């Protein structure tokens, strides 16, 4: 976003992203379910907001990875590219995750992004709750364009 624009929504999302997850549904700012869905009409700037959020989360070391889908790009329009991109990014920055991913790939050398169906990302994240020093955020923009 242009400097000084959309600051309220960007700051609210970044604050939400940095909060530890909870199951407390009574707290109005709780990070229940670990998902924040920004939605609205086409062309109102959701992608610009997502880029700004990624920039701020990267600076504060909270960005785990991102994928920006695009209908007019054959690579970025392919949903099978999302998980490998996020796995690669997390493995590159977070050593405990990298070890789990590497071991999983050694255990099953025929594992592909298509056959993993999210299994590699989700199963490997579960035991890492105790290792995380801070929340890490995965941003997927324009998923409906895949």
């Amino acid at each position: 976003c242009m400097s000084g624009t959309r600051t309220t929504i960007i700051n609210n999302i970044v604050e939400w992203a940095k909060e530890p997850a909870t199951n407390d549904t009574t707290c109005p700012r709780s990070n229940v379910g670990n998902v924040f869905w920004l939605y609205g009409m086409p062309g109102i700037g959701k992608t610009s907001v997502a880029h700004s959020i990624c920039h701020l989360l990267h600076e504060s070391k909270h960005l785990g990875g991102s994928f920006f889908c695009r209908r007019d790009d054959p690579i970025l329009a392919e949903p099978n590219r999302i998980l490998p991109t996020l796995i690669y990014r997390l493995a590159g920055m977070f050593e405990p995750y990298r070890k789990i991913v590497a071991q999983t790939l050694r255990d099953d050398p025929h594992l592909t992004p298509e056959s993993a169906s999210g299994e590699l990302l989700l199963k490997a994240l579960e035991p890492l709750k105790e290792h995380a020093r801070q929340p890490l955020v995965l941003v997927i923009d324009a998923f409906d364009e895949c």
Side-chain angles (χ1 to χ4, degrees):
C1 295
M2 293 178 57
S3 182
T5 63
R6 308 251 165 91
T7 55
T8 301
I9 186 69
I10 292 169
N11 291 338
N12 286 342
I13 294 171
V14 169
E15 283 179 35
W16 169 87
K18 292 180 180 181
E19 291 176 9
T22 179
N23 289 324
D24 181 6
T25 58
T26 62
C27 178
R29 295 222 10 107
S30 68
N31 188 343
V32 176
N34 302 331
V35 175
F36 189 101
W37 181 9
L38 179 63
Y39 59 92
M41 298 295 294
I44 64 170
K46 297 179 298 295
T47 297
S48 295
V49 169
H51 276 284
S52 296
I53 291 165
C54 286
H55 175 74
L56 293 171
L57 292 174
H58 176 74
E59 285 182 340
S60 66
K61 308 282 191 244
H62 284 85
L63 183 63
S66 62
F67 193 93
F68 286 78
C69 304
R70 286 185 53 135
R71 183 174 298 131
D72 60 350
D73 184 314
I75 293 172
L76 298 178
E78 181 56 51
N80 288 339
R81 304 238 185 216
I82 297 172
L83 286 178
T85 300
L86 298 177
I87 291 168
Y88 176 82
R89 173 80 169 129
L90 281 172
M93 69 180 292
F94 194 44
E95 186 177 358
Y97 185 72
R98 179 171 48 250
K99 288 179 180 179
I100 292 169
V101 169
Q103 186 59 51
T104 303
L105 292 172
R106 277 192 294 274
D107 292 346
D108 185 357
H110 301 291
L111 187 66
T112 65
E114 293 79 21
S115 68
S117 301
E119 173 185 335
L120 181 58
L121 178 71
L122 300 176
K123 275 188 162 179
L125 286 176
E126 187 60 33
L128 295 177
K129 288 179 182 178
E130 61 201 44
H131 296 286
R133 291 182 217 104
Q134 62 194 21
L136 291 175
V137 178
L138 302 174
V139 175
I140 302 172
D141 180 67
F143 188 63
D144 61 319
E145 294 196 20
C146 282

